[in-house]
Amino acid sequence: MTVIDTPTITMETTTWTQACPLDFLIPGRGVAVLLEGGEQAALFLLPDGTLAAVGNVDPFGRAAVMSRGIVGDRAGVPVVASPLLKQAFSLIDGHCLDAETTALPVYAVRIVDGVVAVSNEPVPS
């Protein structure tokens, strides 16, 4: 199991939302997580066992659908493609591979006692 490294986030001051037990996640499929404050994250278990979380709201269609996106990779970069207009977003840094000026927020992920948790604040870009 790999969690995408987020070294810029300070763990001591970060608050977390418990999402679900790790064994509830299906590789290649996302789940939406409602964070404190009303923001949403799209949490993914990638086929290689990596966990990643990005914002759930598609910046183009403005709908909370990224958790239903198509997971894959582009040139070795893990991505999720929006189910609306199919723009691909990096699951590492959130940037859109099809529109350079657009990005999704990226959230830190951790596992505590078999339960996956997502940070309530995005990782600083």
Side-chain angles (χ1 to χ4, degrees), residues 52-94:
V54 294
N56 194 39
V57 176
D58 180 329
F60 295 98
R62 301 194 190 282
V65 296
M66 295 307 297
S67 63
R68 299 293 172 231
I70 302 164
V71 175
D73 76 81
R74 194 180 280 180
V77 176
V79 298
V80 59
S82 169
L84 297 178
L85 299 173
K86 309 300 184 256
Q87 290 91 353
F89 294 87
S90 166
L91 290 172
I92 295 173
D93 64 11

Side-chain angles (χ1 to χ4, degrees), residues 1 19-33 41-54 56 65-73 78-81 83 91 109 116 118:
M1 173 62 53
C20 62
L22 177 60
D23 59 359
F24 281 21
L25 298 175
I26 299 170
R29 294 199 182 166
V31 296
V33 180
L43 173 64
F44 298 95
L45 174 60
L46 303 180
D48 69 358
T50 302
L51 287 169
V54 294
N56 194 39
V65 296
M66 295 307 297
S67 63
R68 299 293 172 231
I70 302 164
V71 175
D73 76 81
V79 298
V80 59
L91 290 172
V109 180
V116 180
V118 179

